[in-house]
Amino acid sequence: MYWDAWSLDRLLILFVSAAFAMIGIQVTMFHYRQNFHHKSMWVPVVSAPVFFATGLALTFYNANWLRLLFVAFMVLGAIDGLVGVYFHAKGVGVRVGGYAMRNFLIGPPVVLPFLFTAISALGLLAVYWR
C-alpha cells in the first residue's frame, strides 16, 4: 500500500503532477484571455488540477485503485491534448491570412496541447515502465 522508497516511477509521477499544476495555470490564463469562447476550453482548465491532485495522492499513497484512476486520467489527458491540437490548429486557420507564419506566432499555441499529451504519456510511462 505504501511506497518503500523514492523510486524512479514515484519521482516521475511527482514530476507529472507538478507539470500538470504548472500547465494548468498557463492554460487557464490563455483560455481566460480568450474569454472561454468555446466550451471545450474548460476541459484542460478543470482536468489539470484533478490530474495534479490524483498524481500527488499517488505519489504518497500507492493504492491500486488510485493507480488505475491515475492511468485513466492520463489516457484522458492524452486524448484531450490531441483534441486541443485540432482546435488550436483550426483556430490558427480561421484568422485573417489563414495558416500564415504570423498567425502561428500570435494565434493559439499549437504546441501547448502537444505538451499536455506528452506529459500524460510520461505519466503512463511512469506507471507501466518496468
Side-chain angles (χ1 to χ4, degrees):
M1 191 93 74
Y2 294 100
W3 292 89
D4 293 331
W6 283 92
S7 58
L8 181 60
D9 56 342
R10 186 176 183 188
L11 287 171
L12 278 175
I13 291 169
L14 180 63
F15 173 81
V16 166
S17 301
F20 272 116
M22 292 180 277
I23 291 171
I25 292 168
Q26 187 65 52
V27 166
T28 301
M29 289 189 302
F30 278 157
H31 289 179
Y32 177 79
R33 183 179 69 183
Q34 296 300 317
N35 295 320
F36 294 97
H37 72 272
H38 195 273
K39 290 180 183 179
S40 66
M41 293 174 127
W42 283 101
V43 174
V45 169
V46 172
S47 64
V50 173
F51 296 170
F52 163 71
T54 306
L56 193 63
L58 182 60
T59 300
F60 294 105
Y61 188 68
N62 189 19
N64 283 335
W65 68 270
L66 198 53
R67 184 175 290 270
L68 288 173
L69 185 63
F70 183 74
V71 166
F73 283 158
M74 293 301 99
V75 169
L76 288 175
I79 294 168
D80 177 35
L82 294 175
V83 170
V85 169
Y86 167 75
F87 280 123
H88 281 220
K90 183 178 171 186
V92 169
V94 299
R95 297 179 73 85
V96 175
Y99 292 102
M101 180 56 75
R102 63 182 163 79
N103 289 339
F104 281 100
L105 296 174
I106 61 172
V110 179
V111 177
L112 193 58
F114 275 126
L115 185 61
F116 210 84
T117 298
I119 295 297
S120 297
L122 183 61
L124 290 170
L125 277 173
V127 170
Y128 288 117
W129 190 269
R130 297 283 173 208

